[in-house]
Amino acid sequence: MEDMIFYDRLQFAFTITFHYIFPQLTMGLSLMIVYFKWKYLRNKIEKYNDSAKFFMKIFAINFTMGVVTGIPMEFQFGTNWAKFSELTGGIIGQTLAMEGMFSFFLESSFLALFIFGEKLMGQKLHLLTGFLVFLGSWASGWFILATNAWMQHPVGYEILENGKFVLENFSALFSNPWLLPAFLHNQLASVVTSSFVVASIGAFYILRNKQIEHGKLFLKTGVIFGLISSILVAFPTGDWNAKNVAKHQPAAFAAMEGIFETEEAGAEIVLIGQPNMVEKKLDNKIAVPNILSFLTYQDWDKQINGMDKFEKEELPDNVPALYYSYHIMVGLGTVFMGIMALAAFLLWRKKLYNIKPLLWTIMFLVPFPYIANLTGWYTAELGRQPYLVYGLLRTSDGISPTVSSGNTLFTLLGFVALYMLLGLLFLVLVGKTINEGPKSKLH
Amino acid sequence: MEIFWYISIAVVLAVFFILDGYDFGTGIIHLFFAKTEKDKEVIAKSAGLFWDSNEVWLVAAGGMLFMAFPTFYASVFSGFYLPLILVLWLIIFRAIGLELRSQFKFQMWKDIWDTSFGVSSLLLALFFGIALGNIVRGVNLGGVDNGISVHEGHYFFLPLWDGSFSPLTEHPGVIDWFTIIIGLIAVVTLAIHGANWIILKTNSSINTKLKGVIFKLNIILAILTVFSLVVWQVVNPNSLDNFGDKPYLLIFPLIYLSGLVGLFFIKKIKKDSHAFVLSSLLIVGGITSSLASLFPVILPSVNDTHEPLTIYNTAASEYGLSVGIYWGILGFLLILIYMIIQKRLMKGKVDNMDYGH
């Protein structure tokens, strides 16, 4: 039973991690594509149009990967988490089915039209198709976050005697106080990823002394979008989310902040330290007193409950992983703000394109926003443990009752092998597209 | 309410098998009949340009099934654990083949990915047929062994096969001689459908030859169909009762039959799109006939201890199903609009279609 839950969780974690590499880019990138195309309509400078079309090619590769790795996500609700699906399908099935209907069709139909239809449609309609692709991909984020928000903070339901959750109020799913902050935070985080990708490709072209004009445009656009989004992702949206966790999931909050013992005169904020689960303390801790109380409640002396105030059964089952995920996300977010602020300053002083070390840094930073996005999700999901539906349905009660751990281990290994191959394919395709560059063959 | 969602899901599934069905079929034809590089290229392209938007229909069907019949979703997806995961892997493998083949220009590279595309298309068609076979045959709900249930009455688990490969044992596996026959019907049907798609969308040099292939495959299909009806009586003697009780359901087998008969005239059909419609009728007729023979059951039980799963005992709450209708209808209207727009812009042959055209 124990290893069954372990393999089920590991398989879901692995497949969702790999899957979320792709949508986090497409959501942010679609916004930037719409920007490039819109600019082109206003200034008629060809390189803006090239950029929109070039990034739509990158978008298309990521969309394809998102489709083939996304189908397993949907299937796994049934294959590995059958009891969870049976009990909650009447509720989260709504939001998941709506995602299929309202976002994927929109996204896939107009993606094809954007790529093939520029000449047929004319420029204004081409911008419109780009906008509809953006709308589709953000709608997808909205419905997934609505699903997740319900699991984090269930609303609008009723529990029947047989343990089934039934929907009582449809609109509550979308007015869930968890949803809007989480959605905005997630979407801005995906804009951070896309900004870094765009800036990184720009830096690459400049450093390679190839397609320089496009490279400069990419870098400039990436830095501006990157600065704005990496500030907004922390404040106000990250802050809202932290307050939501403190309010609705206090045990998760204590664990992610690494507070082992309650301090009555206000909680410190931990910057560095390793959770020691045996002695129930942080090793090598560096912390600043009272800041956490102030950030969370605007009150320096407000008491924040530590992990000592909660029963073991209520605490997340993997405190160190949760703590590290959260701190890696916050730490990286801070670095992003710093680098983007520096780059934006140099851009304003018209020096950015000549400062090689910074260009190299921006180029190689590209994996880190992905890591920050993923660790952000790990924070949300590990923090929700030991529940699937917070406070109501335990993770151990959600797995498929008839599937044995041997079968799950087999499929987990298969997914690992196949996704390695898929990752290779992705790198080949993206690498080739970047190498060909945005300059259209026509001019 | 249940019936609305049942029909909607059946429609979405049928559309999925018509659309993704042609690209599975394209893969099968590609595997056996495409010889020159030019043909291989254009045939792969006729699937490669469309497969991902076609698979969106599978995601939609899955989502709707999850929402409307969560107990069925949970039971069937966990019960058919291995075959479903194998389907996922094949879908991924096929996608890799389609997307990679034209990236580098040396023969060995292309051959590898062509084979991956062709073989996984073939196996997918086979597996989807086998899945349908399992649904109409039924499973050992509750895992009853010597009168004792191992699981809750609406859960089961099927191994890929049972040593006897017989659908008549107490614990039938996923693959037995009955489901294999249904699997073969799916392979032949989709091969015909894929060949029609190739004729419709490309100028490949084998288009004329493919009409002959379709004719021959259609003969095989007719034989298999008759044969499967006979063995179905052995597996489940009551399988056709629904059609006797409600004669209007006979419309569905008639749809299938019209496709089957029509395709014998493939060489006389002037418009390629008409032939494509005929093979679409095969698919629609095949799926709807199977569903209609079971209705309102959606998964029969092979034991007497547990009730079969029906649309009524697996459905979500009345309220959930009825709010769903509002957004469901809106969603269908939007999809219809997208399809009309897309159809108008993506018409014609794919041979010269590329980025920016």
Side-chain angles (χ1 to χ4, degrees):
Chain A
M1 187 66 184
E2 276 302 308
D3 55 343
M4 185 62 217
I5 299 168
F6 176 71
Y7 291 143
D8 277 328
R9 287 183 63 184
L10 196 58
Q11 177 168 303
F12 204 90
F14 173 74
T15 50
I16 194 74
T17 297
F18 192 79
H19 173 64
Y20 199 60
I21 291 172
F22 311 109
Q24 70 169 289
L25 179 69
T26 54
M27 290 190 294
L29 198 56
S30 60
L31 178 70
M32 300 180 75
I33 291 168
V34 171
Y35 165 79
F36 281 126
K37 189 75 208 183
W38 172 76
K39 278 293 266 190
Y40 172 66
L41 256 71
R42 296 187 43 144
N43 63 19
K44 297 286 171 205
I45 299 172
E46 208 58 46
K47 68 179 173 186
Y48 283 90
N49 200 27
D50 294 341
S51 305
K53 288 194 281 185
F54 171 74
F55 282 111
M56 199 56 108
K57 279 189 210 167
I58 305 263
F59 180 101
I61 298 167
N62 279 274
F63 180 74
T64 301
M65 302 293 286
V67 171
V68 292
T69 57
I71 300 173
M73 299 326 305
E74 190 189 33
F75 274 41
Q76 279 182 85
F77 282 115
T79 53
N80 295 71
W81 300 92
K83 207 68 209 176
F84 169 63
S85 300
E86 184 194 346
L87 298 178
T88 66
I91 296 176
I92 62 168
Q94 295 271 344
T95 41
L96 290 173
M98 289 177 83
E99 186 201 17
M101 237 175 189
F102 292 104
S103 73
F104 294 146
F105 283 104
L106 189 63
E107 219 175 337
S108 75
S109 311
F110 290 97
L111 172 62
L113 291 181
F114 188 95
I115 289 175
F116 295 107
E118 187 187 1
K119 300 241 160 54
L120 282 164
M121 292 184 294
Q123 292 303 324
K124 278 194 183 141
L125 280 176
H126 198 228
L127 171 65
L128 181 66
T129 54
F131 178 76
L132 290 171
V133 171
F134 157 76
L135 205 64
S137 73
W138 281 50
S140 161
W142 172 255
F143 289 118
I144 288 299
L145 265 301
T147 310
N148 189 261
W150 187 81
M151 292 166 71
Q152 300 282 359
H153 181 60
V155 289
Y157 65 90
E158 192 187 347
I159 303 179
L160 303 182
E161 269 174 31
N162 58 13
K164 276 193 188 170
F165 292 76
V166 281
L167 187 61
E168 211 190 39
N169 183 350
F170 176 72
S171 58
L173 296 179
F174 299 101
S175 57
N176 188 340
W178 197 282
L179 174 56
L180 190 65
F183 173 70
L184 293 175
H185 185 59
N186 185 67
Q187 300 312 101
L188 285 162
S190 88
V191 178
V192 172
T193 297
S194 66
S195 309
F196 272 83
V197 167
V198 171
S200 164
I201 297 173
F204 170 69
Y205 287 149
I206 297 172
L207 289 168
R208 248 192 89 179
N209 208 3
K210 169 189 164 170
Q211 317 224 30
I212 299 247
E213 281 313 304
H214 291 83
K216 285 181 177 171
L217 175 61
F218 291 180
L219 186 61
K220 185 173 105 182
T221 314
V223 165
I224 293 169
F225 271 82
L227 179 64
I228 297 169
S229 59
S230 54
I231 291 171
L232 293 177
V233 83
F235 197 85
T237 65
D239 179 53
W240 285 346
N241 278 283
K243 284 175 179 159
N244 255 343
V245 177
K247 187 172 168 194
H248 299 295
Q249 300 181 350
F253 190 73
M256 77 188 204
E257 296 283 0
I259 313 168
F260 282 92
E261 277 174 53
T262 309
E263 282 180 78
E264 280 165 18
E268 59 190 11
I269 195 156
V270 174
L271 302 179
I272 291 177
Q274 295 78 40
N276 181 335
M277 297 311 290
V278 180
E279 293 174 29
K280 304 233 179 294
K281 68 179 188 68
L282 282 174
D283 293 338
N284 315 312
K285 181 171 77 175
I286 299 178
V288 189
N290 296 62
I291 297 281
L292 186 61
S293 293
F294 178 75
L295 285 177
T296 315
Y297 296 104
Q298 282 73 52
D299 174 357
W300 298 100
D301 305 321
K302 174 97 178 169
Q303 175 185 326
I304 291 180
N305 286 338
M307 283 181 264
D308 55 339
K309 294 274 184 195
F310 300 96
E311 298 291 322
K312 192 170 178 290
E313 294 72 40
E314 297 302 309
L315 280 172
D317 54 1
N318 196 335
V319 173
L322 170 59
Y323 165 90
Y324 287 127
S325 300
Y326 177 64
H327 281 83
I328 289 171
M329 172 189 74
V330 172
L332 285 175
T334 314
V335 172
F336 298 158
M337 260 190 272
I339 298 218
M340 283 304 180
L342 176 66
F345 175 74
L346 292 168
L347 184 70
W348 174 56
R349 308 293 316 193
K350 302 206 185 333
K351 285 182 187 154
L352 177 62
Y353 304 132
N354 304 321
I355 300 182
K356 291 254 164 91
L358 187 59
L359 294 181
W360 282 99
T361 310
I362 289 175
M363 190 174 91
F364 280 121
L365 263 181
V366 78
F368 293 96
Y370 285 96
I371 294 171
N373 264 272
L374 289 168
T375 48
W377 269 102
Y378 294 162
T379 309
E381 300 303 278
L382 288 166
R384 199 191 62 230
Q385 300 301 327
Y387 294 103
L388 284 169
V389 182
Y390 199 77
L392 298 172
L393 178 65
R394 287 188 170 269
T395 305
S396 52
D397 296 331
I399 60 173
S400 300
T402 65
V403 181
S404 69
S405 60
N407 279 300
T408 314
L409 180 58
F410 171 69
T411 56
L412 169 63
L413 294 172
F415 273 115
V416 171
L418 201 54
Y419 280 10
M420 294 294 156
L421 191 63
L422 203 55
L424 208 63
L425 151 77
F426 174 72
L427 292 177
V428 167
L429 291 178
V430 169
K432 228 179 146 229
T433 311
I434 292 174
N435 196 40
E436 280 164 9
K439 229 176 256 174
S440 48
K441 287 165 199 152
L442 299 171
H443 13 116
Chain B
M1 215 57 78
E2 286 87 355
I3 293 179
F4 171 86
W5 282 106
Y6 176 75
I7 293 173
S8 304
I9 293 166
V11 169
V12 172
L13 266 181
V15 175
F16 166 71
F17 281 112
I18 290 173
L19 295 177
D20 221 21
Y22 75 65
D23 59 60
F24 295 153
T26 305
I28 300 171
I29 297 294
H30 191 282
L31 187 64
F32 293 113
F33 299 101
K35 298 286 182 249
T36 68
E37 170 54 28
K38 204 164 169 249
D39 287 345
K40 285 182 181 173
E41 170 97 37
V42 71
I43 290 173
K45 199 168 161 189
S46 73
L49 289 178
F50 304 98
W51 71 266
D52 52 350
S53 35
N54 294 340
E55 277 171 16
V56 170
W57 288 88
L58 180 63
V59 182
M64 288 163 71
L65 200 59
F66 191 12
M67 180 230 119
F69 305 105
T71 306
F72 177 75
Y73 191 79
S75 164
V76 165
F77 276 57
S78 60
F80 294 126
Y81 185 81
L82 280 178
L84 277 170
I85 302 275
L86 290 175
V87 162
L88 293 174
W89 292 350
L90 288 169
I91 286 177
I92 295 172
F93 222 70
R94 212 171 72 94
I96 297 177
L98 276 171
E99 298 293 323
L100 271 191
R101 80 169 304 281
S102 300
Q103 294 298 326
F104 296 100
K105 302 240 173 283
F106 60 99
Q107 201 53 46
M108 196 179 152
W109 175 268
K110 291 188 172 176
D111 291 346
I112 293 171
W113 299 117
D114 278 347
T115 312
S116 138
F117 163 52
V119 171
S120 27
S121 297
L122 177 72
L123 288 176
L124 274 169
L126 187 69
F127 263 76
F128 277 120
I130 288 175
L132 187 64
N134 274 275
I135 297 281
V136 298
R137 180 204 60 204
V139 298
N140 187 350
L141 280 172
V144 175
D145 195 27
N146 291 323
I148 299 162
S149 306
V150 184
H151 312 298
E152 277 182 88
H154 51 281
Y155 280 106
F156 65 96
F157 185 84
L158 252 61
L160 281 180
W161 56 74
D162 160 81
S164 64
F165 288 95
S166 161
L168 303 168
T169 60
E170 194 181 4
H171 298 281
V174 173
I175 301 170
D176 61 38
W177 53 257
F178 174 68
T179 59
I180 286 275
I181 292 169
I182 308 292
L184 288 176
I185 291 181
V187 170
V188 176
T189 308
L190 294 185
I192 292 173
H193 194 49
N196 275 327
W197 177 254
I198 294 168
I199 296 171
L200 179 65
K201 290 302 272 190
T202 76
N203 294 316
S204 85
S205 69
I206 55 170
N207 279 3
T208 333
K209 186 181 153 202
L210 280 181
K211 292 199 173 179
V213 171
I214 291 173
F215 187 79
K216 284 179 202 143
L217 285 174
N218 207 39
I219 297 173
I220 300 176
L221 183 61
I223 297 168
L224 279 174
T225 304
V226 174
F227 185 57
S228 73
L229 284 175
V230 175
V231 293
W232 196 7
Q233 292 306 304
V234 177
V235 174
N236 180 1
N238 308 321
S239 55
L240 300 177
D241 290 1
N242 249 357
F243 295 107
D245 298 344
K246 306 181 188 88
Y248 58 88
L249 291 178
L250 283 168
I251 179 87
F252 299 118
L254 281 175
I255 292 176
Y256 182 83
L257 200 64
S258 60
L260 190 67
V261 172
L263 281 167
F264 280 114
F265 301 96
I266 179 80
K267 289 175 186 167
K268 296 207 179 70
I269 295 172
K270 289 272 167 6
K271 281 197 78 163
D272 296 337
S273 56
H274 292 172
F276 184 74
V277 169
L278 286 174
S279 50
S280 303
L281 291 180
L282 278 182
I283 295 171
V284 173
I287 295 170
T288 51
S289 306
S290 314
L291 292 178
S293 76
L294 300 174
F295 184 84
V297 171
I298 37 184
L299 187 67
S301 171
V302 297
N303 57 53
D304 300 327
T305 322
H306 296 290
E307 293 281 302
L309 301 185
T310 68
I311 59 170
Y312 301 108
N313 66 18
T314 61
S317 72
E318 196 67 22
Y319 170 73
L321 294 181
S322 51
V323 271
I325 287 189
Y326 294 108
W327 59 254
I329 289 173
L330 177 68
F332 276 122
L333 284 176
L334 287 172
I335 293 166
L336 203 66
I337 296 171
Y338 309 153
M339 286 183 77
I340 293 168
I341 298 174
Q342 208 182 8
K343 198 89 215 151
R344 292 188 53 163
L345 283 163
M346 303 273 279
K347 60 179 183 240
K349 306 268 181 180
V350 298
D351 300 59
N352 297 317
M353 218 179 253
D354 203 349
Y355 286 87
H357 281 259

